Every structure is written in C-alpha cells, then in structure tokens.
Amino acid sequence: MRIGPMRHRVVILHQVQGADDPLGEPALTWAEFATVWGEVSPLSGRQYMEARQAQSEVSHRVRIRYLPGVAADMRVQHDGRMFQIEAVLDMGERKREMHLMCVERTGD
C-alpha cells in the first residue's frame, strides 16, 4: 500500500442517540468515530460511470488504512465537506486498506 497520497486528515462520523427532544423523541446526532489519514479523490469519468452502475450516486473515493467498524451508514468529514458513505470495500480482503465509496452532501 502506498501511503504517500494519504495526506488528507479525515473524520469518520457515526450516529449516536442524543438527549430526547421536547416531545420525548430520541434525537440522533453525529459523533466522531475516528480521525485518520486518508486520500480523498473524485472519481474520474470512467471510474464514475463504472461506480454508477453499482451505486446510484457515488462521486468520491476515500482511501484509508483498514479500520474495523466502519460501515455504510457513516459519514466522512474533510475540509468542511461532508461525504455519505455508500459502500465500504476491504481491498483484497486483506484487512490492510479500505476504499469508502462516497457521495458528497451539501446543506446537511
């Protein structure tokens, strides 16, 4: 694994149940799961078209070292931008490197 391109500091967020709102409903909030070094890259034209066949809106790939517990219902935050994880891929099934296939979200 080449770690040189992993120069972006990314925060992986997961949902946690917060304090109940005034109506008694549980409030879900986003909390930090882990902060890691990674590579955030938009998919090129061909990669984007291939990813679109498997996932409806995948626009970015975040490459990180293997981190147990990362799931598709989490988010990645980088440089003020938010990315919803659509798929988590353990590259080569070797527990060394993960690709997080993401969709950039604005206004969340």
Side-chain angles (χ1 to χ4, degrees):
M1 169 189 350
R2 290 181 35 234
I3 61 169
M6 292 188 185
R7 65 185 183 283
H8 302 121
R9 202 67 172 150
V10 297
V11 179
I12 299 173
L13 305 169
H14 66 156
Q15 276 193 324
V16 295
Q17 185 172 336
D20 293 346
D21 68 10
L23 299 175
E25 295 290 323
L28 294 176
T29 59
W30 291 95
E32 183 177 327
F33 176 76
T35 300
V36 297
W37 290 102
E39 177 186 10
V40 179
S41 57
L43 297 179
S44 67
R46 189 174 124 225
Q47 291 173 321
Y48 178 77
M49 293 309 289
E50 290 172 357
R52 227 177 131 176
Q53 292 173 0
Q55 301 289 331
S56 59
E57 301 178 52
V58 171
S59 63
H60 286 74
R61 176 182 57 226
V62 179
R63 187 171 73 97
I64 62 171
R65 290 183 178 189
Y66 182 81
L67 181 63
V70 177
D73 60 351
M74 295 181 171
R75 288 182 177 180
V76 173
Q77 184 178 14
H78 167 64
D79 198 25
R81 299 162 66 188
M82 193 67 66
F83 301 92
Q84 180 66 44
I85 300 174
E86 295 291 318
V88 178
L89 308 174
D90 177 7
M91 301 311 293
E93 298 291 326
R94 298 178 66 197
K95 293 186 174 25
R96 289 185 171 197
E97 178 180 346
M98 298 175 90
H99 288 190
L100 311 177
M101 306 307 287
C102 301
V103 176
E104 185 169 8
R105 297 289 183 208
T106 56
D108 287 348

